[in-house]
């Protein structure tokens, strides 16, 4: 069935797919249906050999203005518990291929949290990041208090979460939340360019590298180092390692096959 709230573009660059959030009238508010479609699309792309990196964007005005407030407003705690909307996010967290967020305009609440679930963030000069849940009488629920704090540190995270203040793309860049700020007309093409660069590497090494970097967030240094070393050794079982090192010695570009 065709998705209703997202658009999937294949091969926007070699081995790069692009998913666009597409509820423009609601500033891409993340209702349950959109998140379900996003989860299913990401799972399908994760299993597709023709995809090595994924770009996730909204439109120029909004990446996403958060979870759908209208859908949540009347719910009871037990409704929320039963719906368990964040289990979708747990699945997205397990996607092995790198996801690059291309952000322009609002990335608020769940929208900001979704960018932080991605592996890198390219933003336009007009991008605004914020966790305004406090103004609704709640707090971030999809990782905002945790991932934001790890990314920008306690002082700024606490301020954003307690006051709901939006930060600009430049402030987000300075704080280490995002990778780069580009002119608005380039936010998508620059994200695709970055994804294409990643997609030109060995896809097995890329997946193991992502896994190892993410391990740093929920392990001790000792456990993380052990995990990294295992993945490093394991990559010597791949044809791509032989090809990469051979190509270096022959002074040519490697041709990675993902084997
Ligand atoms: N949920 C549902 N609808 C939303 C929405 C959201 N999060 N954000 C915007 N919309 C809707 C608006 O209701 C409006 O619809 P109508 O035309 O039917 O009234 C439409 O999108 C356009 O929005 P605005 O008219 O408000 O546009 P604006 O340019 O004046 O303001 C804005 C833009 C500052 C982003 C404002 O829309 C806003 O504050 N949105 C809510 C942001 C927010 O609080 N996000 C957190 C949600 S809770 C959450 O995400 C929990 C979590 O941790 C997962």
């Amino acid at each position: 069935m065709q998705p209703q709230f997202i658009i999937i573009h294949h091969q926007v660059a070699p081995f790069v797919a692009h998913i666009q959030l597409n509820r423009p009238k609601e500033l891409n508010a993340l209702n349950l249906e959109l998140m379900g479609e996003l989860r299913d699309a990401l799972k399908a792309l994760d299993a597709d050999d023709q995809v090595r990196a994924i770009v996730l964007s909204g439109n120029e005005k909004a990446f996403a203005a958060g979870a759908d407030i209208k859908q949540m407003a009347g719910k009871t705690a037990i409704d929320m518990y039963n719906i368990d909307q964040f289990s979708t996010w747990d699945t997205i967290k397990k996607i092995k291929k790198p996801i690059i967020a291309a952000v322009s305009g609002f990335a608020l609440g769940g929208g900001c949290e979704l960018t932080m679930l991605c592996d890198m963030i390219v933003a336009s000069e007009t991008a605004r990041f914020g966790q305004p849940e406090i103004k609704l009488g709640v707090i971030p629920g999809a990782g905002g208090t945790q991932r934001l704090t790890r990314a920008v540190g306690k002082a700024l995270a606490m301020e954003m979460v307690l006051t709901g203040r939006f930060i600009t793309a430049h402030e987000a860049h300075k704080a280490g939340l995002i990778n780069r700020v580009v002119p608005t007309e380039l936010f998508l093409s620059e994200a695709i360019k970055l994804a294409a660069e990643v997609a030109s590497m060995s896809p097995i090494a890329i997946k193991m590298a992502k896994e190892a970097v993410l391990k740093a967030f929920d392990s001790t240094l000792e456990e993380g180092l052990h995990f990294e070393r295992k993945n490093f050794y394991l990559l010597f079982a791949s044809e791509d390692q032989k090809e990469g090192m051979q190509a270096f010695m022959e002074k040519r570009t490697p041709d990675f096959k993902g084997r």
Side-chain angles (χ1 to χ4, degrees):
M1 211 169 60
Q2 278 295 98
Q4 192 187 345
F5 298 115
I6 61 171
I7 303 172
I8 305 164
H9 306 274
H10 294 278
Q11 297 293 331
V12 289
F15 297 107
V16 177
H18 168 210
I19 301 177
Q20 185 182 2
L21 306 177
N22 192 37
R23 276 190 92 199
K25 276 203 214 105
E26 292 82 8
L27 304 181
N28 293 330
L30 305 168
N31 62 12
L32 298 173
E33 296 77 8
L34 183 154
M35 287 306 297
E37 288 180 1
L38 179 60
R39 174 204 53 213
D40 293 347
L42 285 169
K43 276 177 74 177
L45 295 176
D46 212 27
D48 182 343
D49 285 347
Q50 291 309 303
V51 177
R52 295 181 181 179
I54 301 159
V55 172
L56 178 62
S57 80
N59 53 50
E60 206 174 295
K61 179 148 191 231
F63 177 79
D68 191 320
I69 299 168
K70 292 166 193 167
Q71 195 172 51
M72 281 185 303
K75 297 277 188 287
T76 66
I78 300 303
D79 292 336
M80 293 300 279
Y81 178 79
N82 284 334
I83 294 167
D84 193 18
Q85 69 196 73
F86 299 126
S87 61
T88 311
W89 296 64
D90 296 339
T91 307
I92 295 176
K93 181 173 169 249
K94 291 192 190 120
I95 298 296
K96 292 194 160 143
K97 291 174 186 171
I99 308 174
I100 292 155
V103 180
S104 183
F106 299 113
L108 305 176
C112 186
E113 290 166 306
L114 186 56
T115 69
M116 293 189 285
L117 201 51
C118 296
D119 303 300
M120 288 190 271
I121 304 173
V122 174
S124 85
E125 289 163 332
T126 60
R128 295 289 177 271
F129 296 84
Q131 298 291 161
E133 289 90 343
I134 201 74
K135 295 183 176 173
L136 301 169
V138 291
I139 67 169
T145 63
Q146 303 304 301
R147 291 199 179 91
L148 185 65
T149 308
R150 280 168 168 77
V152 305
K154 178 182 165 187
L156 183 57
M158 196 64 97
E159 182 183 336
M160 289 171 69
V161 171
L162 297 191
T163 70
R165 178 169 83 81
F166 302 166
I167 61 170
T168 65
H170 287 293
E171 200 175 354
H173 188 233
K174 203 166 142 223
L177 180 62
I178 66 177
N179 293 78
R180 55 192 71 158
V181 185
V182 299
T184 305
E185 63 275 16
L186 297 181
F187 82 96
L188 184 57
S189 58
E190 286 296 317
I192 291 173
K193 209 188 280 177
L194 182 58
E197 187 182 342
V198 171
S200 71
M201 312 294 169
S202 161
I204 312 171
I206 287 289
K207 282 197 265 188
M208 288 198 193
K210 166 171 170 167
E211 201 180 20
V213 172
L214 289 178
K215 194 78 183 169
F217 290 97
D218 52 25
S219 64
T220 62
L221 179 60
E222 206 48 41
E223 284 164 353
L225 288 171
H226 185 66
F227 187 85
E228 175 192 83
R229 195 166 303 171
K230 282 275 167 69
N231 274 5
F232 179 74
Y233 292 154
L234 186 55
L235 283 165
F236 282 73
S238 71
E239 285 177 29
D240 283 353
Q241 173 268 327
K242 299 286 172 287
E243 166 64 8
M245 294 193 179
Q246 194 63 36
F248 172 81
M249 292 185 290
E250 292 170 10
K251 300 187 188 304
R252 61 174 173 82
T253 307
D255 178 16
F256 292 123
K257 296 276 197 285
R259 293 196 292 261

